Amino acid sequence: MRFENKTNIMKTTRIILLVLLVTGLNLHAQSFEYGVKGGLNYGSTDDLEGSLAGIDIDETADNKVGFHLGLYSKFEVIGIFIQPELVYTRLNSEYELGDYSINKLDLPILAGIELIGPLNIKLGPSFQYIFSNDDLDSIEIGEVENDITVGYQAGLGLTLGRLGVDVRYEGNFFENESVAVDAAENTSFTLDNRPSQWILSLSYSLGGND
């Protein structure tokens, strides 16, 4: 089942990327821009459940500050824009057992409209590839069940010349567990790696056409 889920997500990603490529070519004479972006994120992964030294645990993570850095492009026609991005994200969480972090590549593909003046609204799916996760302090955490998952992002943005400011919320649709097992210490629990975070970004347009 895990292999089938990965295969379906990868097929979907390739299809969307192909559509975006064709759209970009068709919109060559329309509005287009590309640039860099980065900023801070504030959130956490999901629940930790199981037993530690024979004691049951069911813990929700506290939010912590992380960061992100990446690239974006933006195609616009008839008042609607499509904004694909490729972003490295460090998501940090704090449990009672210690701090925990995941490192991932995000591919949000957002659709949006301009509202009033420089204000815009955007939302869409966000594909993520988790390429590493840290141990929970001294407790060794296994790899994530699915390194490729899909969630969503939605938020508001401001465009001020070449500068842009975005505030978004990111969530995920599916559980994505890591397992920690230590028979000697009578420890066995799962940690859900689903992100839930607020994202504050600054962007800078490097070029394009109007």
Side-chain angles (χ1 to χ4, degrees), residues 128-160:
Q128 66 172 356
Y129 168 60
I130 300 176
F131 58 86
S132 70
N133 58 320
D134 297 344
D135 292 335
L136 186 60
D137 281 0
S138 61
I139 302 173
E140 183 176 348
I141 304 293
E143 295 182 356
V144 296
E145 181 181 7
N146 297 301
D147 49 17
I148 298 176
T149 62
V150 60
Y152 60 90
Q153 291 187 8
L156 297 172
L158 286 173
T159 302
L160 306 169

Side-chain angles (χ1 to χ4, degrees), residues 46-156:
D46 214 314
D47 294 345
L48 183 155
E49 299 177 339
S51 64
L52 178 66
I55 300 174
D56 291 339
I57 53 174
D58 186 353
E59 187 180 342
T60 300
D62 290 332
N63 295 332
K64 290 193 71 176
V65 175
F67 65 90
H68 59 277
L69 182 67
L71 307 171
Y72 79 93
S73 61
K74 183 177 179 181
F75 310 88
E76 185 172 357
V77 62
I78 318 177
I80 299 174
F81 62 83
I82 299 174
Q83 185 169 320
E85 302 174 353
L86 183 61
V87 180
Y88 163 73
T89 299
R90 171 89 170 179
L91 176 63
N92 299 319
S93 308
E94 183 178 1
Y95 296 91
E96 290 183 11
L97 297 179
D99 292 339
Y100 178 71
S101 300
I102 61 174
N103 299 289
K104 62 193 183 98
L105 288 177
D106 291 319
L107 176 62
I109 303 172
L110 309 179
I113 57 173
E114 306 293 340
L115 295 176
I116 302 173
L119 183 66
N120 62 71
I121 185 171
K122 55 178 75 75
L123 60 88
S126 180
F127 300 87
Q128 66 172 356
Y129 168 60
I130 300 176
F131 58 86
S132 70
N133 58 320
D134 297 344
D135 292 335
L136 186 60
D137 281 0
S138 61
I139 302 173
E140 183 176 348
I141 304 293
E143 295 182 356
V144 296
E145 181 181 7
N146 297 301
D147 49 17
I148 298 176
T149 62
V150 60
Y152 60 90
Q153 291 187 8
L156 297 172

Side-chain angles (χ1 to χ4, degrees), residues 33-40 68-74 83-85 87 120 122 156-168 200-207:
E33 70 176 79
Y34 62 93
V36 295
K37 62 172 299 181
L40 301 176
H68 59 277
L69 182 67
L71 307 171
Y72 79 93
S73 61
K74 183 177 179 181
Q83 185 169 320
E85 302 174 353
V87 180
N120 62 71
K122 55 178 75 75
L156 297 172
L158 286 173
T159 302
L160 306 169
R162 287 184 174 268
L163 293 177
V165 182
D166 265 2
V167 178
R168 303 179 195 169
L200 174 62
S201 301
L202 294 176
S203 62
Y204 182 79
S205 174
L206 297 175

